[in-house]
Amino acid sequence: MSVPAEADRPMTDAEIVEAYLTASMIPDPDAAAAYMKPGTVITFTGGCEFDHPRGPTGFNAKRYRWVKKKMDRFDVCPGTDETVVYSVGTLYGEWMDGTPFEDNRYVDRFVVRGGQIVKMDVWNDSAERILVQRGIEA
């Protein structure tokens, strides 16, 4: 039995990002970390910084019962020594009180260099939705 040719080629930068996000949604932060250079700074919503995928996993555990990403697209911006990959889509899951949600927009920005993620920035509409949930108009 022969192995498909795709198995012999290195992952594209977008595939690296998708594999990272897939592992992080399990959640398996240690598997996700395999796609990151050690010490990579992950800047999460609200400006929280982490140096390992365990940080966002813990952050999400305080905000959601569970959360997943519907990855709609990857925008790839190649550079000379690095590639910027944007993952754009929506979040769905349950708030801590058990209320389900969906269509919560997100954008994740990754810098990939030498086959590893070296920077990640995360934005989403969760804070806006929490304000609405609490009857706060801002």
Side-chain angles (χ1 to χ4, degrees):
M1 184 165 130
S2 65
V3 176
E6 303 88 50
D8 294 334
R9 66 167 176 79
M11 295 173 78
T12 67
D13 293 334
E15 289 170 337
I16 290 166
V17 167
E18 184 175 17
Y20 168 85
L21 291 172
T22 299
S24 69
M25 282 190 290
I26 291 174
D28 187 344
D30 292 324
Y35 299 98
M36 292 191 139
K37 184 176 180 178
T40 291
V41 174
I42 303 166
T43 305
F44 226 60
T45 57
C48 298
E49 289 189 351
F50 307 103
D51 63 0
H52 190 279
R54 282 186 295 270
T57 299
F59 179 92
N60 284 338
K62 294 176 187 174
R63 184 174 278 195
Y64 313 104
R65 264 196 193 169
W66 64 272
V67 63
K68 303 290 182 204
K69 290 184 176 186
K70 180 179 174 280
M71 296 176 263
D72 291 333
R73 71 176 195 267
F74 295 93
D75 296 337
V76 180
C77 308
T80 304
D81 297 323
E82 62 188 28
T83 301
V84 175
V85 178
Y86 291 91
S87 174
V88 179
T90 55
L91 302 176
Y92 62 97
E94 284 185 15
W95 298 110
M96 291 305 285
D97 68 359
T99 304
F101 68 89
E102 61 185 1
D103 298 324
N104 181 342
R105 300 176 309 158
Y106 83 85
V107 175
D108 292 343
R109 180 186 184 273
F110 295 85
V111 177
V112 182
R113 189 179 305 132
Q116 290 186 298
I117 296 166
V118 298
K119 182 162 179 40
M120 178 183 180
D121 295 289
V122 176
W123 297 274
N124 64 56
D125 286 339
S126 291
E128 293 298 319
R129 288 174 170 242
I130 291 169
L131 288 172
V132 169
Q133 208 178 36
R134 295 191 177 161
I136 301 169
E137 290 187 39

